[in-house]
Amino acid sequence: MSEDGMFHQLLTPIGDSLGLSFLVASIPIIVVLVMLGVLQRPAWQASLAGLISALIVAVTAWKMPVGLALNSTAAGITFALWPIMWIVLAALTLYNIALQSGRFDAFRRWVLESLPNDRRIVLIVIGYGFGSLLEGVAGFGAPVAITASLLILLGFKSLDAVVYALIFNTAPVAFGSLGVPITTLAGVTGHDAHVLGAMVGRQLPFFALLLPFYVMAMFGGMKSVRELFPVLLVSGGAFALGQFISSNYLTYELTDVISAGSALIATVLFLKVWKPAPNAEFALIRPTEDPNAPHAHVKPWQGWMPWIIMCVLVMFWTELKIASIWQQNIAWPGLHNVVFRTVYQDTYTAIWNWQPFATGTAILVTALITTFAVGQNLSGFAKAFGVALRHVMLPGLTVCAIVGLAYLMNYSGLTYTLGMGVAASGALFPLLSAFLGWLAVFLSGSDSSGNALFGNLQVVAARQLNFDPVLMAATNSSGGVFAKMISPQNIAIGVAVSDLKGHESVIFRRTFIHSIIFTVILGIMVFLQQHVLTWMIPSY
């Protein structure tokens, strides 16, 4: 601590060299990547190893006091528990209510009755459209768990279900949870949220259009892409068009609801007039229905009930700003205004916004309403909550460790050394800007947190290098979405209700290369938008 009683972050503590300091600051991230990708350890072990290595580096090389290092980690763990795990716990409680009441099985029957007998079509409708709709409302990994569970119920292998749900989950992330990532980005950069949303909406629609083709090539090969070309174009096109129009001309807050809803409706309606040729290789497993089964009387359309209630309630909850009722902005003791951020020349605040009526509470209220709507009682609700609690224990450990790691790297200055290292790339910065957002979300597991971390750094670097600050700030959010599929937090939650808990490394190895490919493509696009396609940047 310095004479003013504050900890001043060091940017180049290793030999006063940005290059060497960048390499040492990378150690915690390398540890997590190696543990997951090479040693194939469970996500909770990889995250804890990364956290321990970060503590060592922060205390020894970045000269952070031990007490402050532990305190910043504790602040991260608290944020991981509330609101992140609270949202996940509530969403899985709703999932369990749907399961117990037969509504999840009814949803399966709706799929079997309403869609062609083809797993490839189901993957597009459920993995892409339905999963994106859930992400637009809830987020934080829960949509992946729910979507993957439904795909498994429809005959997909567990590994395939989780991997494809994770990859499809990238499309809606930047506008997830009713636009919270964009709102956060506007808050830290000072730029108008609608302008930032419009810029993101001029990047991600290209990927939204590409995703159905890309995933289908992975799942069924190029032959399947040719066979399903019309429906892939309708699904991807409807999503991309909805995303562009909503983010640029309507409202960024409802972009996911509009784009995912458009994709779902357009795809289902299109399949009424066009169907792929039957293919036995991709036929769905159709179990014999027992008319005397406990919930056999539940109509297939009722499978939508829990999710429709959730979407409507959360949208009203957000519109009426219920989350802000009784909100407590708690200055974290011993951390708030104790750290000086050298890169920004300001004091690092540490405010925990505790909202008793946060989105997780809205989803839990949805679960309670659904409980009575489907004829369950309070004991059924308690059972669903208890099962969800058991499901989130191990993923919760992973989330606490990885978010604790992110907070520690933030407050110690490690992340800002990494950010300055990327920003020092000069003319190549537009290419690497996407990877800065990618890095932030890999660490935090959240596009909102990634924007809070590096959003303003993108703007500072852009102004120093005479690049467009709105473009670079938006790229932070767009680049971050491609790290969601490899974030230990997201993967751990995604497998919460499958038989893959403890095998997160297998999923990581399957998704890592795709994460890099998409981020590289985005980097090239941003480079062109900065130097050639400048008309794509909205006026402001």
Side-chain angles (χ1 to χ4, degrees):
M1 303 289 271
S2 62
E3 292 181 1
D4 58 7
M6 299 181 67
F7 167 66
H8 288 242
Q9 291 179 342
L10 303 177
L11 292 177
T12 56
I14 311 300
D16 200 26
S17 164
L18 180 59
L20 291 176
S21 299
F22 180 91
L23 291 175
V24 176
S26 302
I27 289 175
I29 298 169
I30 294 171
V31 167
V32 175
L33 292 174
V34 170
M35 288 282 286
L36 276 174
V38 180
L39 302 181
Q40 301 186 49
R41 304 309 303 164
W44 68 270
Q45 294 181 13
S47 301
L48 281 176
L51 175 58
I52 292 169
S53 63
L55 281 167
I56 294 171
V57 172
V59 171
T60 59
W62 266 251
K63 309 302 181 186
M64 189 180 201
V66 175
L68 195 57
L70 295 175
N71 198 11
S72 59
T73 303
I77 291 172
T78 303
F79 180 78
L81 293 173
W82 192 290
I84 296 176
M85 291 310 299
W86 179 235
I87 291 175
V88 175
L89 178 61
L92 292 185
T93 299
L94 178 62
Y95 161 79
N96 287 331
I97 291 292
L99 209 59
Q100 292 170 191
S101 65
R103 267 58 186 181
F104 209 68
D105 189 59
F107 200 170
R108 177 187 64 83
R109 284 188 277 116
W110 178 87
V111 171
L112 293 174
E113 292 179 11
S114 305
L115 300 180
N117 184 18
D118 194 315
R119 280 183 295 139
R120 298 170 299 179
I121 296 294
V122 169
L123 183 59
I124 297 300
V125 174
I126 302 302
Y128 192 35
F130 179 64
S132 296
L133 184 63
L134 294 183
E135 176 66 32
V137 177
F140 291 106
V144 175
I146 295 170
T147 305
S149 179
L150 182 56
L151 291 173
I152 293 168
L153 194 64
L154 288 162
F156 284 78
K157 295 177 181 177
S158 297
L159 182 59
D160 284 344
V162 175
V163 166
Y164 297 133
L166 279 165
I167 295 176
F168 271 138
N169 187 243
T170 58
V173 163
F175 298 100
S177 301
L178 299 178
V180 169
I182 302 299
T183 303
T184 303
L185 185 62
V188 299
T189 63
H191 285 282
D192 184 81
H194 296 281
V195 174
L196 293 168
M199 186 65 248
V200 173
R202 300 181 187 201
Q203 294 175 328
L204 292 185
F206 296 98
F207 296 92
L209 177 62
L210 172 66
L211 265 174
F213 295 92
Y214 189 93
V215 172
M216 193 52 58
M218 290 175 60
F219 180 64
M222 290 307 298
K223 184 173 183 291
S224 290
V225 173
R226 291 191 295 272
E227 290 176 353
L228 301 182
F229 186 88
V231 73
L232 298 178
L233 184 61
V234 168
S235 181
F239 196 112
L241 188 61
Q243 194 175 57
F244 171 74
I245 291 175
S246 181
S247 60
N248 277 269
Y249 302 108
L250 300 175
T251 168
Y252 73 88
E253 290 98 335
L254 293 179
T255 292
D256 275 351
V257 176
I258 291 171
S259 55
S262 299
L264 266 174
I265 294 169
T267 305
V268 171
L269 290 178
F270 181 70
L271 290 169
K272 299 295 183 184
V273 297
W274 180 92
K275 287 180 172 54
N279 190 322
E281 181 184 355
F282 297 103
L284 289 160
I285 298 174
R286 292 179 177 270
T288 303
E289 302 290 349
D290 181 2
N292 298 316
H295 303 291
H297 66 282
V298 178
K299 302 296 184 184
W301 66 266
Q302 290 192 29
W304 283 97
M305 184 185 296
W307 321 113
I308 291 173
I309 293 174
M310 181 180 74
C311 289
V312 173
L313 181 67
V314 171
M315 282 192 290
F316 273 107
W317 199 277
T318 303
E319 183 64 27
L320 297 175
K321 296 181 170 46
I322 293 175
S324 61
I325 298 174
W326 294 347
Q327 175 177 321
Q328 301 294 316
N329 298 322
I330 301 171
W332 195 266
L335 188 61
H336 179 61
N337 287 338
V338 174
V339 175
F340 184 79
R341 293 192 295 186
T342 308
V343 68
Y344 294 145
Q345 291 294 298
D346 66 2
T347 303
Y348 206 163
T349 58
I351 302 292
W352 179 42
N353 298 314
W354 185 68
Q355 297 178 320
F357 297 109
T359 302
T361 306
I363 298 173
L364 199 66
V365 171
T366 298
L368 192 59
I369 293 172
T370 303
T371 297
F372 295 108
V374 299
Q376 297 262 303
N377 52 32
L378 286 177
S379 63
F381 176 82
K383 178 184 176 183
F385 187 86
V387 172
L389 194 60
R390 290 196 297 274
H391 278 153
V392 301
M393 285 298 182
L394 193 58
L397 176 58
T398 301
V399 175
C400 286
I402 202 69
V403 179
L405 165 64
Y407 268 62
L408 172 61
M409 292 188 68
N410 294 353
Y411 284 94
S412 65
L414 288 170
T415 48
Y416 294 106
T417 298
L418 294 172
M420 290 302 293
V422 173
S425 57
L428 294 177
F429 181 66
L431 278 170
L432 298 178
S433 174
F435 276 98
L436 205 53
W438 179 93
L439 174 63
V441 174
F442 172 75
L443 281 173
S444 66
S446 160
D447 203 46
S448 299
S449 299
N451 287 340
L453 178 60
F454 279 154
N456 198 47
L457 182 62
Q458 298 265 18
V459 170
V460 170
R463 286 172 175 157
Q464 288 178 346
L465 298 168
N466 201 29
F467 295 143
D468 191 280
V470 164
L471 172 62
M472 297 310 159
T475 301
N476 194 79
S477 193
S478 297
V481 307
F482 301 122
K484 287 280 283 187
M485 69 177 81
I486 62 166
S487 168
Q489 170 187 313
N490 215 36
I491 294 175
I493 296 171
V495 303
V497 292
S498 75
D499 57 359
L500 292 171
K501 287 190 288 290
H503 300 280
E504 296 87 357
S505 61
V506 180
I507 298 167
F508 176 84
R509 287 160 66 90
R510 281 276 300 270
T511 56
F512 184 78
I513 184 62
H514 306 294
S515 173
I516 297 298
I517 289 171
F518 280 122
T519 311
V520 168
I521 294 173
L522 175 64
I524 294 171
M525 176 190 291
V526 174
F527 186 84
L528 292 174
Q529 287 176 326
Q530 174 61 53
H531 297 292
V532 181
L533 307 174
T534 53
W535 53 268
M536 293 185 69
I537 302 172
S539 57
Y540 59 95

